[in-house]
Amino acid sequence: MIPVVFDPSYLDYYFGPAHPFSPVRSEMLLELLEALGHPVEAVRPAPATRAEVLTVHSEAFVEQVEAASAGTPLPDAERFGLGTADVPFFEGMDVAARALVGGTLHAAKRVAAGAATKVLQLGGGLHHARHDEAAGFCVYNDLSIAISHLTRQGLRVAYLDVDVHHGDGVQWIHYDEADVLTISLHESGQHLYPGTGGIEELGAGGGKGFKLNVPLAPYTSDESYLEVFEQVVPHALAWFLPDVLVVQCGADAHFR
């Protein structure tokens, strides 16, 4: 049985009723599985600690999130991507974001310790957050925090992102790291946020050649999508030989 990670506190990551990112999607999935006769007994992980968040994010950025979380945002918050249309302030933002990070990090720790070979995290995937900036509905980058934990254990990590939006935050955070391979299949940045993810973005320094992007045209057919996936992903993984695969399964790549 594959462990499933979910905590009701994930629903606290909520930007308000007018915002397109709704945590209700996870709750609906659990209710649907139960209605179909497959109830989920989820592991309820602890939130990530402040120190764990700081393994990826800057002290200055975390201080900004904490201030906004307490209802006293700092004057330059927007410079850190906070208080924008994409990432508006909400009370408890820091704790809610750390809860999601805690779930993804819990999954990574179980895999690193050999306690599980596969773990499904029903939250997180906040792939746009950068080292010192929130973006695209994403406050803390749970994926990169988990990846950083895995690489500190000496593991090689391949990150595969099939969200319709380029996995930019994860790419940039690990851009110069040779032990992290990132692969993103997404709608071209010429048409869609965040405007990045071109084939020329290959990494820098020791990480050059370890960052791969497959930008696709809008309404790419199933057959074409599978063709480019199969021409890139299996070969890249066979070349890189990762110890761990981290997959961001954004469901928004479907045209509906």
Side-chain angles (χ1 to χ4, degrees):
M1 182 71 72
I2 297 174
V4 176
V5 179
F6 177 81
D7 190 273
S9 63
Y10 289 3
L11 305 180
D12 295 336
Y13 189 85
Y14 183 52
F15 295 108
H19 196 279
F21 188 91
S22 173
V24 173
R25 65 186 73 185
S26 297
E27 193 173 36
M28 290 173 64
L29 174 59
L30 291 170
E31 291 175 355
L32 175 61
L33 288 170
E34 186 169 2
L36 293 172
H38 302 286
V40 173
E41 293 185 11
V43 177
R44 297 178 61 171
T49 65
R50 190 178 195 274
E52 287 168 336
V53 172
L54 288 171
T55 59
V56 161
H57 294 290
S58 70
E59 176 77 30
F61 174 61
V62 173
E63 288 176 355
Q64 290 280 344
V65 176
E66 290 171 338
S69 183
T72 55
L74 300 175
D76 56 344
E78 195 166 340
R79 184 166 64 87
F80 292 85
L82 300 167
T84 63
D86 274 1
V87 189
F89 302 128
F90 67 91
E91 188 175 349
M93 175 186 284
D94 171 66
V95 176
R98 285 195 290 108
L100 292 172
V101 174
T104 308
L105 188 56
H106 175 84
K109 288 178 177 178
R110 291 196 67 168
V111 171
T117 57
K118 299 176 183 178
V119 183
L120 175 61
Q121 150 72 322
L122 292 182
L126 305 178
H127 60 167
H128 295 307
R130 300 195 184 189
H131 171 64
D132 57 1
E133 183 181 4
F137 316 159
C138 305
V139 178
Y140 295 144
N141 196 316
D142 59 301
L143 297 157
S144 284
I145 293 168
I147 290 168
S148 294
H149 173 80
L150 293 166
T151 58
R152 288 197 304 276
Q153 310 308 306
L155 300 170
R156 292 166 62 81
V157 179
Y159 169 74
L160 174 61
D161 192 318
V162 296
D163 192 282
V164 74
H165 303 92
H166 176 225
D168 59 328
V170 177
Q171 173 184 285
W172 300 127
I173 288 170
H174 305 283
Y175 205 57
D176 60 354
E177 298 175 16
D179 51 359
V180 180
L181 171 70
T182 68
I183 310 172
S184 180
L185 288 87
H186 49 268
E187 188 172 317
S188 169
Q190 294 180 341
H191 306 282
L192 192 66
Y193 178 89
T196 56
I199 58 173
E200 73 283 356
E201 295 169 19
L202 294 169
K208 190 166 186 179
F210 294 90
K211 310 295 173 268
L212 304 177
N213 289 292
V214 185
L216 300 167
Y219 299 104
T220 293
S221 68
D222 295 356
E223 293 77 13
S224 294
Y225 188 97
L226 287 171
E227 180 182 6
V228 296
F229 186 100
E230 290 167 358
Q231 287 187 5
V232 173
V233 177
H235 299 287
L237 296 178
W239 166 76
F240 183 69
L241 295 175
D243 299 302
V244 182
L245 184 62
V246 175
V247 186
Q248 205 278 17
C249 300
D252 52 4
H254 192 274
F255 78 104
R256 287 184 173 176

